[in-house]
Amino acid sequence: MKIGVKILPKNEVLDTQGRAVEATLRSHKREVNQCRVGKYVQLDIGETDEAKALAKAKEIAEFVLYNPLIETFELEVVVPGTVRK
Amino acid sequence: MKKIGIVRFLGTNCDRDVWQAVEMVGVRPEWLWYEDQFNPADYQAIVVPGGFSYGDYLRCGALAAKAPVMRSVSEAAGQGKPVLGICNGFQVLCETQLLPGALVRNERRKFIDKWVELESENQGKWGGSGSIRLPIAHGEGRFYAEDEELKRLWDQKQVWLTYRQNPNGALDDIAGVSNRDGNVCGLMPHPERAMTDWMGGADGRSIFESVIHG
């Protein structure tokens, strides 16, 4: 089962990439309230049970994928060909 | 004679400069390969040099922090051995949680390569007092810690070095910190690149010398 780990910087103070994108958008009249740039990690976990897969992914995220001091993360179950709202 | 252990990860590139710096102050250096653990008793001190360990993948120092050698470095730190992290080494020590805070991308997003003036705020085992000049070369050297932690760092005298003119947006102009006991120190500037006048300045010597005499 594939689990997506979405990692974002914690807040605007830290996110220089996000601010750079905001500035570019602003100069092209596409202002947004905020832009944060993070990273996406996809884990193909050898589990068929969704809850177990999510639990493993969470443990992996906490072990190394994100730094809780400066980032937050979200997990998603990847279902190919669909859009998750 | 005791030795100073110099950690090497894949992507570490300031290791040989640190080796020479250690030799320059009259101590024998030895390599510590990232895949191997070591006996802290064999070493007088440990240095984690700068570079791009693991290509800075995921987060600077994040993957290096999980390498086997860091278990031994943590053990050495716990025993009160002097441990120095330079630039990427500083990032590795923060990710290993041997030092507080984190280093994030420079405020202006540019890799900055220049000499800076630093003030010694508090002295850990790795010394340095007064004002010194050292070169920096980094893209992710902005020190970050939460407000309460920052206050604690100042109160507990863990702020080691500050920039006189902040080059990267580091909170409270912090260029280097130490742990509570003062034996683990990390700094973004490169003391191994400031060992002789022909390098541009010799203020780095005192940092390496302090651990021998201290």
Side-chain angles (χ1 to χ4, degrees), chain A residues 8-26 30-38:
Chain A
L8 281 177
K10 238 182 184 175
N11 58 50
E12 196 274 327
V13 171
L14 299 175
D15 188 16
T16 54
Q17 282 190 105
R19 279 190 300 165
V21 174
E22 279 171 31
T24 297
L25 293 178
R26 199 176 305 126
R30 289 174 170 82
E31 287 217 36
V32 293
N33 293 333
Q34 190 188 61
C35 170
R36 286 192 295 160
V37 177

Side-chain angles (χ1 to χ4, degrees), chain B residues 9-55:
Chain B
F9 303 100
L10 298 180
T12 296
N13 67 9
C14 302
D15 42 345
R16 281 168 289 179
D17 286 351
V18 171
W19 180 284
Q20 291 204 31
V22 167
E23 280 188 329
M24 277 176 178
V25 296
V27 185
R28 209 171 102 219
E30 198 169 271
W31 295 127
L32 297 172
W33 187 234
Y34 76 103
E35 282 188 318
D36 303 325
Q37 298 191 58
F38 61 88
N39 183 354
D42 293 340
Y43 300 92
Q44 188 176 358
I46 308 295
V47 181
V48 192
F52 297 87
S53 61
Y54 293 82

Side-chain angles (χ1 to χ4, degrees), chain B residues 188-201:
Chain B
M188 283 313 296
H190 288 266
E192 78 283 10
R193 296 183 193 177
M195 299 295 290
T196 67
D197 285 337
W198 63 255
M199 286 186 192

Side-chain angles (χ1 to χ4, degrees), chain A residues 1-3 43-57 60 77-78:
Chain A
M1 182 171 297
K2 291 200 170 100
I3 305 290
L43 299 169
D44 190 347
I45 295 179
E47 278 287 348
T48 46
D49 178 274
E50 189 177 290
K52 283 188 181 162
L54 284 169
K56 276 197 175 168
I60 289 170
V77 178
V78 177

Side-chain angles (χ1 to χ4, degrees), chain A residues 7 10-17 19-20 39 41 62-71, chain B residues 58-59 62-63 66 94-95 100-109 142 144-146 149 171:
Chain A
I7 300 157
K10 238 182 184 175
N11 58 50
E12 196 274 327
V13 171
L14 299 175
D15 188 16
T16 54
Q17 282 190 105
R19 279 190 300 165
K39 44 184 98 109
V41 177
E62 287 164 351
F63 170 63
V64 72
L65 297 182
Y66 94 116
N67 183 333
L69 181 59
I70 53 173
E71 293 167 328
Chain B
L58 192 66
R59 283 185 315 281
L63 299 178
K66 303 297 181 198
C94 288
E95 283 285 342
L103 287 319
V104 299
R105 187 166 291 207
N106 292 348
E107 196 170 42
R108 299 261 165 86
R109 302 175 303 279
R142 184 179 176 211
Y144 173 82
E146 289 174 334
E149 174 97 82
L171 296 187

